[in-house]
């Protein structure tokens, strides 16, 4: 469904006189099916967020192609209704001028012009575990977990084929993380969506992902099914596992 | 001997009258590590800042704070400023914002050491070389001559710990020092804290929401919820046998992700 | 009309709005309202004090000051406002394009702006007047041509800090068109910046226009204009200071009204500020405070 082939990405860094290009991503290949959750694990600065921006088509790779259903993801019309995203920073994820209602209905309004029933909104809110009264609230009145739930409701509103979760739980408390992870799991089976779960937290990734891509310095170190996690081969992945602080 | 004693600490907002920390009391002994855990908004950072008397102007506090039987709450701002850094030292969550981005790392460090000990650049450099080795930072010379953005979050965090060590404080207060870090640097930083505890006789107040890290480092734990201490005591005892529902809830949620991970990993859990 | 409703709760804001609206109407219908002919010279009434017939007294040529003030609204406030609106709109469009799309478009636009900004406004205004001929319209055209670059630069900077926000990225990800993202997501947050810049340059523009009128390039002599009235009164500043009061106070009031209005518009448009007017909490949600924690470490 979502397919990434031989993608490279570099950025210009401005020197005083000369310009350099810094390579962020090198030769990335991946594929994500409907109903699958693919984890992208890497430390900060490994280029995983850049990959995220490429996957949702808001930036263009230097070379290589990213397609969804065989069509270019860079084409904005192909993305409509099929692609969605939840970001890490719940503070800036919702337009501060929008009420929850307006925020959740935004993708729907943009996607199809037909009237949207109130029931749909209430159903979406209930689905993410918020009471329908929340629709009149503004983002600043929400706690981190609530804001992230609203973002998820907004993401599932158009029933997309895939959602990018860019560190979606990293800035939440552990107890809230668990609730969100459980919510995401339920929704995935309900809507049969594909997730790409970008995180640095291996344990959370293991909780939700079916497959994981270990990422370092813009290169894929290893792709492995979660159940085979103990048998990782690459040295970086091994180090990652060894350095994990478990409870 | 009690190193730090906090009695009936209360912090509230001036404008609204909202109480952020209710009647909190705890003690810290020489060489001990006390962890304060709780969710965001539970008042754990405010508590730690209240000890340093570093809260915003719109937060007022009452209660008694004794450091080696000296009443900190009665000190003037000028005397308090001298206590900070030398006796009480703080390590912050985000290394990137803790250092001035416009100057070299060393500028800030030398300045700090100069204010507290009146050391010259040479003396400061000597001292820093030693402590930086302790926190496992290689090539100290090179690191000192870099800008904050050229170092990783983990390195900056260790740099801050190094600075704290150079100051040889009585108490080191670490406010979520590992939260902003990725797995490997988190591990390294935690390792440094454990080393410090073994090598030096320095008490630590460790604030975190990550129970996994807390369990590795702390002796005592203080569980906070909505500004109130719901439970405190020995780490192992509390984690093994939590009394309060909230503590149970925190442990259960942390456990759920972890148990799943352990199941995936089978026998190979490195711990 | 949520904004209007919110605005009506702010006394200062609504007063400013009413003041500006009334002023506009008075300016448009000045010929109907004004008690006297503003250019009728009556040397017997030179420097006369206020009387029932001439409520604000008479100037050095015995003309009715009140009537001149009323007639002066049109060139001093209304036309300046139109010129301002035009240059802000051009600046906004260009600034949004440059700040939103970045890259080469941005580079080209900004270099053009730099070129525009490197010319002194007065010199260019005089040059344009020399080409097109004397008259208020030509001065205004000169101002629009010169000022947009300045607005474009400021608006671009303001846009750039909001484009990186996650909700903008979200809107891009779901395939919204760029114009609607700009209108729905970036315009509201940058509006306050634009309003502040625009209202503060309203005052300076009124004064600059009057400066050019003083040079004889704008309004032609007998016609009324506030700035010109000020400069006429300047000659007798020490003997008859009261002549400066009417145009001086009027300019100050107009500038203040625009400033207050832009302040209250900010609050009215912003859902969070609407709730709590505590200045402490202002915009905390938007701009996560760049905490300077260096002091704390010490």
């Amino acid at each position: 469904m979502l397919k990434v082939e031989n993608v490279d990405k570099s950025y210009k860094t401005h020197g005083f006189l000369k310009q350099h290009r810094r390579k962020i991503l090198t030769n990335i290949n991946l594929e994500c099916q409907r109903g699958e959750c693919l984890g992208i694990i890497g430390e900060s600065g490994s280029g995983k967020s850049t990959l995220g921006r490429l996957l949702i088509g808001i930036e263009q790779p230097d070379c290589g192609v990213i397609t969804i259903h065989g069509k270019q993801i860079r084409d904005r019309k192909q993305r409509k209704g099929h692609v969605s995203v939840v970001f890490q920073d719940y503070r800036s994820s919702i337009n501060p001028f929008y009420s929850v209602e307006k925020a959740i209905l935004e993708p729907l309004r943009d996607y199809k012009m037909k009237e949207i029933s109130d029931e749909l909104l209430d159903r979406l809110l209930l689905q993410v575990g918020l009471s329908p009264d929340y629709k009149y609230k503004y983002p600043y009145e929400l706690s981190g977990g609530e804001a992230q739930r609203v973002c998820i409701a907004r993401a599932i509103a158009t029933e997309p084929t895939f959602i990018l979760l860019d560190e979606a739980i990293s800035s939440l408390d552990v107890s809230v993380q668990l609730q969100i992870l459980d919510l995401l799991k339920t929704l995935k089976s309900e809507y049969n969506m594909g997730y790409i779960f970008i995180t640095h937290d291996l344990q959370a990734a293991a909780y939700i992902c079916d497959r994981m891509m270990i990422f370092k310095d813009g290169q894929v170190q290893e792709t492995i099914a979660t159940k085979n996690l103990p048998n990782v081969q690459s040295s970086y992945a091994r180090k990652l596992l060894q350095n994990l602080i478990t409870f | 001997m009690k190193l730090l004693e906090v009695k009936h600490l209360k912090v509230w907002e001036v404008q609204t009258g909202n109480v952020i920390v209710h009647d909190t009391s705890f003690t810290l002994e020489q060489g001990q590590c006390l962890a304060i855990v709780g969710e965001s908004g539970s008042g754990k950072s405010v508590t730690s800042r209240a000890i340093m008397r570093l809260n915003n102007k719109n937060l007022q506090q009452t209660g008694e704070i004794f450091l080696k039987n000296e009443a900190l709450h009665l000190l003037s701002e000028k005397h308090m400023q001298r206590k900070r850094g030398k006796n009480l030292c703080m390590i912050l969550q985000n290394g990137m914002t803790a250092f001035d981005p416009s100057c070299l790392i060393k500028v800030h460090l030398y300045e700090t050491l100069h204010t507290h000990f009146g050391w010259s650049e040479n003396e400061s450099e000597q001292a820093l070389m030693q402590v930086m080795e302790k926190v496992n930072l290689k090539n100290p010379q090179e690191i000192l001559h870099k800008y904050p953005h050229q170092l990783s979050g983990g390195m900056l965090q260790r740099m801050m710990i190094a600075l704290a060590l150079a100051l040889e404080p009585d108490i080191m207060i670490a406010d979520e020092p590992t939260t902003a870090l990725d797995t490997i640097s988190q591990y390294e930083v935690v390792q440094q804290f454990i080393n410090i505890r073994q090598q030096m006789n320095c008490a630590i107040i460790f604030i975190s929401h990550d129970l996994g890290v807390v369990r590795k480092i702390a002796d005592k734990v203080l569980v906070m919820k909505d500004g109130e201490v719901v439970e405190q005591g020995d780490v192992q005892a509390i984690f093994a046998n939590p009394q309060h529902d909230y503590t149970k809830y925190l442990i259960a949620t942390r456990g759920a992700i972890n148990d799943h991970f352990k199941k995936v990993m089978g026998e190979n859990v490195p711990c | 009309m949520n904004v209007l409703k919110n605005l009506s709760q702010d006394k200062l804001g609504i007063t400013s709005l009413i003041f500006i609206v009334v002023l506009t109407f008075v300016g448009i219908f000045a010929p109907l309202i004004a008690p006297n002919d503003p250019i009728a010279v009556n040397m017997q009434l030179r420097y006369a004090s206020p009387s029932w017939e001439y409520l604000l007294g008479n100037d050095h040529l015995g003309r009715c000051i009140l009537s001149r003030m009323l007639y002066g609204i049109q060139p001093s406030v209304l036309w300046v406002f139109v010129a301002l609106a035009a240059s802000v709109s051009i600046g906004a469009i260009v600034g949004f394009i440059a700040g939103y799309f970045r890259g080469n478009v941005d580079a080209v636009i900004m270099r053009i702006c730099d070129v525009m900004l490197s010319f002194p406004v007065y010199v260019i205004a005089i040059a344009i007047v020399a080409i097109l001929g004397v008259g208020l319209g030509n001065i205004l055209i000169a101002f629009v041509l010169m000022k947009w670059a300045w607005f474009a630069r400021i608006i671009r900077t303001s846009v750039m800090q909001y484009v990186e926000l996650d909700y903008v990225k979200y809107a891009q990800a779901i395939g919204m068109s760029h114009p609607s993202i700009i209108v729905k997501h970036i315009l509201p947050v940058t509006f306050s910046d634009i309003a502040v810049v625009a209202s503060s340059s309203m005052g300076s523009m009124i004064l600059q226009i009057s400066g050019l009128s003083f040079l004889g390039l704008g309004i032609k002599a007998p016609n009324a204009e506030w700035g010109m009235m000020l400069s006429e009164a300047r000659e007798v500043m020490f003997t008859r200071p009261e002549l400066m009061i009417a145009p001086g106070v009027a300019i100050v009031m107009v500038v203040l009204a625009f400033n207050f209005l832009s302040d209250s518009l900010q609050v009215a448009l912003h859902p969070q500020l609407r709730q709590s007017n505590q200045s402490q909490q202002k915009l905390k949600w938007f701009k996560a405070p760049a905490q300077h924690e260096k002091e704390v470490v010490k």
Side-chain angles (χ1 to χ4, degrees):
Chain A
M1 176 202 66
L2 181 78
K3 207 167 180 186
V4 177
E5 284 166 297
N6 309 322
V7 161
D8 280 14
K9 178 79 183 168
S10 60
Y11 284 114
K12 268 185 229 161
T13 51
H14 289 279
F16 181 57
L17 286 173
K18 51 185 178 185
Q19 277 187 351
H20 300 280
R21 291 194 81 86
R22 205 161 82 89
K23 199 132 196 191
I24 306 290
L25 298 173
T26 325
N27 196 21
I28 308 292
N29 289 287
L30 67 86
E31 210 169 322
C32 179
Q33 300 302 327
R34 264 199 116 111
E36 187 191 28
C37 179
L38 173 68
I40 297 178
I41 323 290
E43 55 189 74
S44 50
S46 63
K48 57 190 196 311
S49 289
T50 307
L51 179 60
R53 284 201 295 278
L54 296 180
L55 288 178
I56 51 174
I58 59 177
E59 268 180 48
Q60 183 133 31
D62 296 345
C63 63
V65 278
I66 304 174
T67 53
I68 182 162
H69 302 308
K71 301 203 180 83
Q72 286 281 345
I73 198 136
R74 188 67 190 145
D75 181 1
R76 152 177 102 66
K77 298 219 169 57
Q78 301 303 334
R79 294 206 295 273
K80 271 199 179 181
H82 291 299
V83 176
S84 203
V85 58
V86 178
F87 291 103
Q88 171 177 17
D89 185 5
Y90 52 84
R91 273 194 205 86
S92 72
S93 289
I94 308 172
N95 187 333
F97 290 89
Y98 278 18
S99 64
V100 168
E101 177 179 11
K102 216 174 160 191
I104 294 179
L105 295 183
E106 181 192 357
L108 283 172
R109 291 231 165 88
D110 191 57
Y111 177 41
K112 36 193 171 186
M113 298 308 282
K114 71 171 190 213
E115 258 325 287
I116 300 141
S117 63
D118 277 355
E119 287 155 49
L120 178 63
L121 178 67
D122 291 357
R123 189 170 56 89
L124 283 169
L125 279 170
L126 287 172
Q127 231 162 12
V128 295
L130 295 173
S131 103
D133 300 335
Y134 272 86
K135 62 184 163 197
Y136 305 114
K137 291 202 178 198
Y138 280 92
Y140 67 93
E141 295 170 296
L142 305 174
S143 72
E146 286 165 355
Q148 212 57 295
R149 280 165 196 271
V150 170
C151 291
I152 293 170
R154 178 175 70 174
I156 60 171
T158 55
E159 303 182 15
T161 39
F162 112 90
I163 300 185
L164 176 80
L165 302 155
D166 187 355
E167 298 271 11
I169 58 160
S170 304
S171 46
L172 301 171
D173 285 315
V174 177
S175 48
V176 185
Q177 281 185 5
L178 182 71
Q179 295 165 10
I180 300 285
L181 284 174
D182 284 334
L183 171 68
L184 287 171
K185 268 187 167 176
T186 331
L187 291 172
K188 191 179 79 172
S189 54
E190 203 167 316
Y191 287 96
N192 191 28
M193 294 176 291
Y195 285 161
I196 290 199
F197 191 83
I198 295 180
T199 187
H200 67 265
D201 186 348
L202 195 58
Q203 293 186 58
Y207 192 75
I208 188 170
C209 296
D210 306 311
R211 272 193 309 148
M212 288 194 223
M213 248 172 71
I214 315 274
F215 211 70
K216 186 176 191 275
D217 298 333
Q219 279 171 311
V220 180
Q221 299 287 316
E222 195 163 354
T223 309
I224 195 162
T226 304
K227 58 180 188 293
N228 291 331
L229 196 60
N231 311 321
V232 283
Q233 298 302 319
S234 63
S235 58
Y236 176 72
R238 286 183 167 278
K239 191 176 173 200
L240 206 62
L241 282 175
Q242 271 159 18
N243 286 356
L244 209 61
I245 297 167
T246 49
F247 178 60
Chain B
M1 184 196 118
K2 278 172 195 152
L3 182 64
L4 179 81
E5 194 167 10
V6 177
K7 282 183 186 165
H8 309 296
L9 178 71
K10 184 182 165 190
V11 184
W12 71 93
E13 236 177 305
V14 178
Q15 287 153 337
T16 55
N18 282 346
V19 181
I20 296 168
V21 177
H22 300 266
D23 195 19
T24 301
S25 307
F26 57 90
T27 58
L28 183 67
E29 270 154 59
Q30 194 80 43
Q32 213 176 30
C33 177
L34 170 77
I36 304 180
V37 297
E39 295 184 292
S40 54
S42 61
K44 47 192 199 309
S45 286
V46 173
T47 307
S48 68
R49 278 163 186 259
I51 297 169
M52 302 277 281
R53 298 216 339 233
L54 269 175
N55 277 313
N56 276 342
K57 288 275 182 297
N58 59 341
L59 295 182
Q60 286 278 327
Q61 63 185 75
T62 55
E64 295 168 325
I65 304 164
F66 296 99
L67 176 71
K68 291 184 185 161
N69 293 327
E70 191 182 357
L72 290 186
H73 57 280
L74 299 175
L75 286 180
S76 70
E77 183 53 38
K78 205 173 144 199
H79 284 98
M80 192 63 212
Q81 184 65 36
R82 229 171 284 157
K83 290 274 172 213
R84 287 180 206 135
K86 208 165 173 186
N87 297 93
L88 293 163
C89 195
M90 199 152 187
I91 293 163
L92 299 150
Q93 176 173 2
N94 197 340
M96 287 292 174
T97 53
F99 289 94
D100 187 340
S102 64
C103 49
L104 296 173
I105 300 264
K106 64 167 191 171
V107 175
H108 179 206
L109 297 181
Y110 290 173
E111 198 181 282
T112 312
L113 291 173
H114 183 79
T115 21
H116 287 296
F117 300 115
W119 286 351
S120 69
E121 284 213 5
N122 269 333
E123 286 171 301
S124 299
E125 197 179 318
Q126 291 299 322
L128 281 172
M129 294 289 198
Q130 278 183 9
V131 287
M132 281 168 79
E133 241 151 68
K134 268 190 202 151
V135 294
N136 222 353
L137 283 170
K138 299 184 178 75
N139 296 332
Q141 273 289 0
E142 202 178 305
I143 292 174
L144 284 176
H145 288 86
K146 279 193 169 163
Y147 285 97
H149 69 265
Q150 293 171 308
L151 299 176
S152 72
M155 277 169 113
L156 286 172
Q157 209 64 271
R158 277 185 280 161
M159 203 59 236
M160 256 200 282
I161 297 171
L163 175 62
L165 288 179
L167 292 165
E168 295 181 343
D170 298 317
I171 299 175
M172 205 188 279
I173 300 177
D175 188 355
E176 303 262 12
T178 60
T179 310
L181 303 176
D182 41 62
T183 315
I184 291 175
S185 0
Q186 186 178 25
Y187 179 79
E188 282 167 355
V189 170
V190 167
Q191 222 54 41
Q192 292 322 312
F193 272 104
I194 294 170
N195 281 349
I196 292 165
R197 295 217 43 212
Q198 285 163 355
Q199 290 170 14
M200 306 180 69
N201 197 19
C202 166
I204 301 173
I205 297 180
F206 192 90
I207 295 160
S208 181
H209 69 258
D210 189 342
L211 298 179
V213 176
V214 167
R215 192 174 199 172
K216 258 187 121 95
I217 295 182
D219 310 308
K220 267 175 70 181
V221 65
L222 195 80
V223 185
M224 285 189 86
K225 190 199 180 198
D226 299 333
E228 279 178 88
V229 177
V230 295
E231 197 166 354
Q232 60 175 311
D234 184 64
V235 168
Q236 299 312 331
I238 283 194
F239 283 168
N241 188 17
Q243 297 299 316
H244 195 276
D245 285 343
Y246 182 67
T247 320
K248 283 181 193 161
Y249 165 74
L250 281 184
I251 291 173
T253 49
R254 180 65 171 89
I257 295 177
N258 201 62
D259 288 346
H260 182 90
F261 185 71
K262 279 188 181 154
K263 216 163 71 197
V264 169
M265 292 300 291
E267 293 302 304
N268 302 343
V269 176
C271 190
Chain C
M1 286 320 278
N2 241 337
V3 175
L4 212 59
K5 210 176 88 194
N6 289 318
L7 199 61
S8 66
Q9 283 163 6
D10 185 348
K11 288 205 182 71
L12 198 57
I14 199 73
T15 318
S16 307
L17 182 67
I18 292 170
F19 177 77
I20 291 168
V21 170
V22 169
L23 199 75
T24 311
F25 274 102
V26 171
I28 293 169
F29 298 110
L32 302 176
I33 300 169
N36 297 291
D37 185 354
I39 50 174
V41 177
N42 187 346
M43 292 309 267
Q44 281 162 352
L45 288 170
R46 278 189 87 185
Y47 305 123
S49 307
S51 60
W52 280 114
E53 198 182 345
Y54 303 98
L55 283 173
L56 289 174
N58 300 64
D59 66 0
H60 65 293
L61 293 174
R63 294 174 295 198
C64 171
I65 292 182
L66 178 63
S67 306
R68 288 181 71 73
M69 290 294 301
L70 295 181
Y71 273 87
I73 292 172
Q74 238 179 73
S76 307
V77 182
L78 302 186
W79 284 113
V80 171
F81 186 75
V82 170
L84 185 75
S87 56
V88 169
S89 325
I90 297 172
I93 292 167
V94 172
F96 272 110
I97 291 171
Y100 184 81
F101 293 104
R102 305 298 305 276
N104 292 336
V105 187
D106 182 35
V108 170
I109 290 179
M110 280 308 111
R111 293 303 80 77
I112 296 174
C113 283
D114 288 345
V115 171
M116 297 303 285
L117 287 171
S118 59
F119 291 112
V121 180
Y122 269 88
V123 176
I124 291 297
I126 291 169
I128 288 175
V129 170
I131 298 166
L132 299 176
V134 178
L136 182 67
N138 295 338
I139 293 237
L140 292 177
I141 289 170
F143 267 103
V144 173
L145 286 179
M146 295 314 297
K147 281 257 177 177
W148 70 266
W150 189 67
F151 288 119
R153 259 205 173 277
I154 291 175
I155 291 166
R156 166 182 173 266
T157 321
S158 167
V159 168
M160 266 162 44
Q161 49 173 313
Y162 295 112
V163 169
E164 287 299 306
L165 290 183
D166 285 343
Y167 66 85
V168 178
K169 282 197 249 161
Y170 172 80
Q172 292 173 338
I174 61 166
M176 237 182 186
S177 66
H178 294 307
S180 63
I181 291 176
I182 290 178
V183 172
K184 283 185 185 160
H185 292 303
I186 301 180
L187 191 62
V189 280
T190 47
F191 182 81
S192 58
D193 292 356
I194 297 174
V196 170
V197 178
S199 68
S200 57
S201 51
M202 180 81 189
S204 66
M205 247 168 122
I206 290 178
L207 295 173
Q208 281 174 343
I209 297 266
S210 61
L212 286 167
S213 300
F214 175 65
L215 291 175
L217 298 174
I219 294 281
K220 287 195 206 78
N223 293 316
E225 200 271 336
W226 291 358
M228 207 159 64
M229 290 172 72
L230 258 187
S231 62
E232 284 166 0
R234 209 182 49 131
E235 289 161 23
V236 288
M237 199 163 84
F238 295 107
T239 48
R240 309 246 169 221
E242 66 272 15
L243 284 187
M244 293 190 109
I245 291 174
V249 168
I251 291 174
V252 170
M253 296 247 303
V254 168
V255 173
L256 277 184
F258 274 103
N259 283 341
F260 285 140
L261 184 66
S262 73
D263 277 1
S264 357
L265 268 181
Q266 249 188 81
V267 178
L269 288 171
H270 202 294
Q272 188 181 3
L273 296 183
R274 213 183 287 162
Q275 295 272 322
S276 62
N277 271 331
Q278 293 163 355
S279 53
Q280 292 256 342
Q281 294 288 316
K282 264 193 187 178
L283 299 177
K284 200 172 166 190
W285 187 265
F286 265 148
K287 302 172 182 168
Q291 283 165 340
H292 204 65
E293 288 178 326
K294 187 185 170 193
E295 292 300 313
V296 177
V297 187
K298 284 183 190 171

